[in-house]
Amino acid sequence: MISKKAIQIFSLGIIAPLTLQSCQQNTVTNSANTDILTGRLIITGSSTVAPLVSEIGKKFEGENPDVRIDVQTGGSSRGISDVRNGIADIGMVSRGITPEEDDLSFHSIAQDGVGIIIHQDNPIDSLSDEQVKQIFTGEISNWQEVGGKDAPITVVNKAEGRSTLELFLDYFVLTNSQIKPSVVIGDNQQGIKTVEGNSFAIGYVSIGTAEFSINNNVPIKLLPLDEIGATRDNVANGSFPLSRPLNLVTNGEEDFLTQTFINYSQSAEVHDLIKKQDFVTLSR
Amino acid sequence: MSPSHGDLLWRWLLTIIAMITGIIVVVITVFLFSEASTVLQEVGWGAFFLDPSWHPQEQFFNLIPMLLGTLSVTVGAVFLAIPLGVASAIFTQYYAPRGVAYVYRQLIELLAGIPSVVYGFWGLVVLVPLINRFQAPGTSLLAGMVILTLMILPTVALTAEASFEEVPWEYRQGAIALGLSKWAMIWGVILPVAKSGVMTGFILATGRALGETMAVLMVCGNVVQVPDSFFAPVRTLTANIALEMAYATGNHRSALFVSGLWLMGAIALMVLIAEIMRDQNVKL
């Protein structure tokens, strides 16, 4: 344990000067002149949110030339822990707040749905929630049992710790140990590639990413859930049941630059960027 | 005779460089142990052998399937790559016309230079769908073995060729003078003499196969299970770390460092075997 602490102190020694410097700069400009923003923001977390935030960051840097926005991925959990440890100014989290996280403040910037995908050649057009559950737990292992071709089902699951997995398990009231996967994947793209290459696979990915791929002629299709189509429109009007907010997270004591950036990310000025990333803007 | 001034300088310089290298290895090991200590103190070593499964979110940490996965993929790939690599070295050295041998050698060297993610991507879009036609889901132990074989083949072939070249010319002349056929010369004279060089290639290749991450992650399916056939998906220790590290916190994260320790142990074992073999060769 002592050596672990030593390592933490060692790494803090490297990182702290960088962050401290940016903090000092922020406070100076904060009191002196609120029109010109300077400083550096470190943003880490969810790989789903990161592309959007780096686009927002670029636009923000364009309008405030003295600001540097540094975006790094690593998953929602990393976003949370980096903000708690003070390594990052803002964390990115692609799910709602959980009770253990009420010490942090969550700021939603967009919405995304999680949709079930299968190959385009698969004749199935819809599955009931119960059927999906039985497929993922291995009770149904052949497409014939749900009205498809006589072929074994390839169940594509996500790796432990991914927020899409948590959301999926939550909706179908499952634990990960009940799922009997044939393939375990990391990010959404890998899931789409796997289903693309296997006519009898079933998986679940971000609706935004899936729609983007479908628009680029990738032979997959999104299945409706609970008879509600997995479209961005249905995520936007709140009728699609399996959706999640994309959040920026802070430890509650934002400095001026952080606060400005969060306000900017929530403003109508970034709606075009959100749409371009195939996410859904928040109606407010 | 006392060493000259220049020799002394070199001696010190090289000693310092060697010490730095040694220290880096020790620091990495200490770091792995200190990061792993959290979970080792909380759940103990036994959990990594005795837990019912690997579901870190539910506090189950059995690593045996990953260890067997790593071993089976590596052993499979090495068994395929050794005969292929040695055969291709014999071909270039003794059978191929000079021009063909040159082109062939360039191709093998090119094979060694391709980044592993390219192998992985090729495997995912070509090899996996191909295997899937015979046995779903395609992502499997077999796919991993084939990709790894391609990746370590150049190492085996090039080191084998180098050690054939080192066989003293007189041995070959002697064999020819005795009227041995070409194959009898290779089998009876060249191979036994070059054995230790071929073995070095074998150890190097095994080390690469053990540590390979990206390609294996993309084609093996990553399901945590003890494989019961060549078509069953497996997860290796390296893939386990790569898939989950970014998304892991607390005990889960710490358990991934235990994966790292096991990997380190496996590589240390390889080095040990290499040392023993070298000693035996010296005796010959």
Side-chain angles (χ1 to χ4, degrees), chain A:
Chain A
M1 287 315 284
I2 295 163
S3 50
K4 185 171 180 185
K5 189 153 261 168
I7 288 157
Q8 279 173 348
I9 292 167
F10 178 68
S11 45
L12 263 181
I14 295 172
I15 296 160
L18 301 171
T19 12
L20 280 179
Q21 196 185 6
S22 69
C23 286
Q24 281 159 358
Q25 281 175 356
N26 294 348
T27 36
V28 169
T29 38
N30 190 359
S31 51
N33 185 353
T34 48
D35 289 327
I36 303 164
L37 280 166
T38 58
R40 181 156 171 249
L41 278 181
I42 297 175
I43 306 176
T44 67
S46 160
S47 58
T48 312
V49 191
L52 173 62
V53 171
S54 52
E55 285 303 312
I56 295 176
K58 270 181 215 156
K59 196 170 173 186
F60 191 76
E61 281 173 349
E63 291 170 20
N64 304 278
D66 294 331
V67 176
R68 303 288 315 145
I69 312 267
D70 185 0
V71 180
Q72 294 166 15
T73 60
S76 298
S77 317
R78 180 179 169 197
I80 298 275
S81 70
D82 281 1
V83 166
R84 280 215 178 109
N85 298 334
I87 296 170
D89 302 298
I90 301 175
M92 299 173 285
V93 178
S94 57
R95 53 171 168 73
I97 190 167
T98 66
E100 305 96 72
E101 290 157 7
D102 56 8
D103 55 319
L104 302 169
S105 21
F106 278 57
H107 316 269
S108 298
I109 55 170
Q111 189 102 15
D112 183 30
V114 173
I116 292 171
I117 54 167
I118 58 173
H119 197 275
Q120 213 171 42
D121 296 345
N122 195 324
I124 302 285
D125 282 318
S126 74
L127 292 167
S128 71
D129 283 6
E130 190 53 35
Q131 282 173 325
V132 173
K133 201 169 163 173
Q134 284 173 326
I135 287 173
F136 274 85
T137 53
E139 280 172 59
I140 295 177
S141 59
N142 193 305
W143 283 110
Q144 218 169 20
E145 292 170 65
V146 289
K149 292 177 192 164
D150 178 18
I153 301 176
T154 300
V155 175
V156 183
N157 196 25
K158 288 232 173 177
E160 289 245 345
R162 306 265 164 169
S163 55
T164 349
L165 169 70
E166 281 168 34
L167 212 66
F168 182 85
L169 294 177
D170 218 41
Y171 177 77
F172 287 102
V173 202
L174 289 167
T175 57
N176 198 21
S177 45
Q178 288 175 282
I179 292 187
K180 300 281 170 284
S182 330
V183 180
V184 176
I185 51 141
D187 58 13
N188 291 322
Q189 270 310 327
Q190 206 188 347
I192 287 167
K193 281 274 164 349
T194 306
V195 175
E196 184 187 351
N198 184 336
S199 318
F200 302 110
I202 180 168
Y204 54 91
V205 292
S206 151
I207 289 179
T209 322
E211 282 199 345
F212 179 80
S213 300
I214 291 168
N215 293 338
N216 285 288
N217 299 320
V218 175
I220 57 166
K221 59 184 174 188
L222 278 159
L223 291 183
L225 204 61
D226 209 9
E227 295 180 352
I228 297 159
T231 62
R232 278 192 284 157
D233 292 340
N234 285 340
V235 173
N237 64 32
S239 61
F240 190 74
L242 195 47
S243 72
R244 55 177 172 178
L246 305 181
N247 284 307
L248 293 182
V249 181
T250 55
N251 59 9
E253 34 197 78
E254 303 95 14
D255 58 40
F256 184 67
L257 177 59
T258 310
Q259 190 59 56
T260 315
F261 183 75
I262 288 171
N263 289 343
Y264 184 78
S265 306
Q266 289 178 321
S267 71
E269 280 183 82
V270 300
H271 279 184
D272 57 327
L273 298 177
I274 292 174
K275 282 179 188 138
K276 212 184 274 173
Q277 296 282 330
D278 297 289
F279 295 129
V280 175
T281 54
L282 298 171
S283 46
R284 60 176 78 235

Side-chain angles (χ1 to χ4, degrees), chain B residues 114-124 151 212-215 218:
Chain B
I114 297 174
S116 73
V117 68
V118 175
Y119 281 106
F121 190 68
W122 176 80
L124 188 61
M151 295 181 70
E212 174 47 42
T213 310
M214 200 59 213
M218 289 167 93

